Amino acid sequence: KVTGKALTPEQEEELLSRLISADFSLSKARMLVEKIRNEGNSPDVVRKTLLEEAPPVEPLRDDSKPFVAFLVGVNGVGKTTTIAKMAHLYSSRGLRVVVVGADTFRAAAQDQLSLLVEELPVVYVGGERGSDSGAVLFRALEENKDADVFLVDTAGRIHTSKALMDELGKLIRVSKKFSAEYPQEVLLVLDSTQGLQGYRQALSFVKGAPITGLVLTKTDSTAKGGMIFSIWDELRIPLKLVCFGQKLTDIDYYSPEKVVDSIAG
Amino acid sequence: GIARRVQGLVSSFRSKGVLTQEDINKFLSDLRWLLIEADVSLIVVNDLLERLREKLKPQTGVVSPADYLLKVVFGEIAQILGSYRPLATNARGLSIYMLVGLQGSGKTTTAAKLGFFLKRKGKSVVLGAADPYRPAGAEQLKVLAAESGLYFESFVDQGSVNVNRIKEFAKKSLHDVLLLDTAGRLHVEADMLKELTQLSQLLSPQEVLLVVDAMLGQEAADIARAFKDTAPVTGIILSKADGDERGGAALSVAYVSGVPVLFMGTGEHVSDFEPFVPDETAAMILG
Ligand SMILES: Nc1nc2c(ncn2[C@@H]2O[C@H](COP(=O)(O)OP(=O)(O)OP(=O)(O)O)[C@@H](O)[C@H]2O)c(=O)[nH]1
Ligand SMILES: Nc1nc2c(ncn2[C@@H]2O[C@H](COP(=O)(O)OP(=O)(O)OP(=O)(O)O)[C@@H](O)[C@H]2O)c(=O)[nH]1
Ligand SMILES: [Mg+2]
Ligand SMILES: [Mg+2]
C-alpha cells in the first residue's frame, strides 16, 4: 500500500504488478502507471487516476414500462442467479415482474430458476427442456401484457459459438415483435474470477448483439475486475450491476468508488 | 495458446547461430510479458522465469538456439502441467472421487463426464449428489446421470451432506466408483473450506479432483493455493477448455497445486471430455 510520498521505481513496479494482478490488461496497466507517474506519483493520484479511467455510472434503462432485459454470457458466470436477484430487486419495489426461463438447453435450468424465485411475488414463464427458447419468450410477452418488468435468462454458451449469436439474434427479433424498444437492456454477465477473458468475451458478444451493459459477478471473491476498464475504453460498455454472493440480496448498482477502492487497496 | 506464442517469440532466433547470455536475458524478458498476456498468474510467471533462468545456458551453435529455447521452455511447461494417469482405486471396495472447486466451474457437468468416461472403461459408476446449497443441484446431477446411463444417489439431507449415509453406502456398495459432486465454494469462504476439509478427512477419498475453469484470470494461483491447503487435492480437471485460447490458468493451478492436469472438458456434452496430454490434446489449451 503506497503511503504519502512520490512513487519510487520499486513502488511503480509494485503498482504495475498490482494492476496486472487486478486483471488489468498489460497495455492498460502500463498506461495507468505512465499517467500516474506524469501526474506526480502519490496515493491520491493513484485513486484519482483510476476514478478518471473507470467506467462512468450509467443507470439501467428501466424507466420505460414495460422494461425488458436479457442476461447473456458464457457458462456458469451467474446469469440465472442474477436474474433471481433482479427479480427480487424489482418485485420488492411493487413492480409486476415476469421471469422468463429461456434456457431450454441445460439440465435442470428450469428447476433452478423457478426454485430461486418461487418465494417472490413474480410470474415465472418457462419451457420444456429442448423446446424453442423463442417460443418461451413469445409466450411470456404475449400472456403478460400488464407486466412492468421482463427478466430473460438465457443459456450459457462459449462466446465464440455462432449458434449462440444466432439464438440471441432470434430472441431479440421475437421481442421486437412486441415493441421496437425491446429489449432496453442486453446485459453481458461477466464472472470477475475470469479476469481478462471477460474482456475477450465482450469483444465476441458485441459482434452478435447490442450489449448495453455489464454485470460483474462473484466480486465476493478476491478478483478485482480490472478488465472492465478496457471494456469501457474500447467498447464503451458500462458496468451497471455488481454481485457479491449467492443470496438474492447480494446485488447492487455499480459504484466507481467501490471498485477503485478495492483495487487501490 | 501459450505454445504458439512461445513459438512466435522463438522464431526471431531462427537466424542465429549461437545463443549468448544477453540473448537469454532478452528472451526471458519478452517471455515474461507473453506469459502475463496468456493469463498466467504473476507469481507463477516470476517463479517460472527464475527456473528457466537457471536452466537456460548460452549455446555455441551445436544445437539451433531456437530449438534449444523451445525444448527447454516446452519441457518446463509440460512438466508443470503433468498429464493423465489412471485414477487411484480402493483395493478394499468402493473408490471415492470428490469433485471440488469454485461456483460455476463445471463440477456437476464434469461428474457426469468423468462417470461416463469411467463407465466406458468398464467401471460401475454412481454419481453422488453432495451439494446441499444449489437450487436443483441434485436434480441437475440426476438428469445428467440418467442421460449417460449412470447410477445416481443423493446424499443431501436437510441442507447438509449426510456423511454417515455416504459411509454406509460405501460399505455396502457393489459399484466400483462413487463420484461425489460437492458445492461450489470460493477460496475465501472459510466455513465452506472447513466443510471441505471435514468431508475429505471423514471420507478419505481416493482422489480429490479440483475442477478449474480454464478461463480463470489472475486469481487462479490463489484459488489453487487455498484448495491445496484445504484438502489433499490429487488432480486437476480443466473445464471449458473450449472457451479459452490462452491457457494461463491451467499453468498457474498446476504449478501452485503441484498436481497434474488429468482431464480436459471441451464442451457441454458428456462426450466432450478427454484425458489430458500436454503435447496433443492440450493443443486446445497450449495452442
Ligand atoms: N460467490 C458467488 N457465487 C455466485 C455469484 N453469482 C452466482 N454465483 C454462483 O455461481 C454458480 C453458477 O451460477 P448460475 O446462476 O447457475 O450461472 P449461469 O450463468 O446461469 O450458468 P449456466 O446457465 O450454466 O451457464 C451458482 O452456484 C451460483 O450460486 C456471486 O456473485 N458470488
Ligand atoms: N462449453 C463448456 N461448458 C461447460 C463445460 N463444463 C461445464 N460447462 C458448463 O458450465 C456451466 C456450469 O456447469 P456446472 O456443472 O453447473 O458447474 P458447477 O461447478 O457444478 O456449479 P455450482 O454447483 O453452482 O458450483 C454449465 O452451463 C455447463 O454446461 C465445458 O467443458 N465446456
Ligand atoms: Mg443459467
Ligand atoms: Mg454443481
Side-chain angles (χ1 to χ4, degrees), chain A residues 17 20-21 23 30 75 105-106 111-112 129 156 158-159 193-194 197 200-201 218 220 222-223 246, chain B residues 33 39 42 103 134 136 140 143 147 186-188 213 215-219 240 242-244 246 268:
Chain A
S17 292
I20 292 171
S21 299
D23 289 315
R30 281 179 173 147
N75 308 74
F105 175 75
R106 210 207 65 213
D111 302 60
Q112 181 192 6
R129 191 178 174 212
I158 291 304
H159 50 297
T193 65
Q194 289 182 344
Q197 192 65 239
R200 280 166 232 135
Q201 289 163 13
K218 307 181 198 173
D220 43 327
T222 43
Q246 292 171 280
Chain B
W33 305 120
D39 293 350
L42 202 50
Q103 288 89 341
R134 169 144 168 166
Q140 182 187 3
V143 169
E147 278 181 353
L186 288 178
H187 52 305
V188 291
D213 185 338
M215 296 193 268
L216 281 180
Q218 285 288 318
E219 236 38 51
K240 310 182 208 169
D242 48 314
D244 178 67
R246 307 280 160 134
E268 289 193 71

Side-chain angles (χ1 to χ4, degrees), chain B residues 102-109 131 134 137-138 140-141 181-184:
Chain B
L102 251 55
Q103 288 89 341
S105 58
K107 299 173 292 298
T108 305
T109 312
D131 175 356
R134 169 144 168 166
Q140 182 187 3
L141 190 64
D181 177 26
T182 68

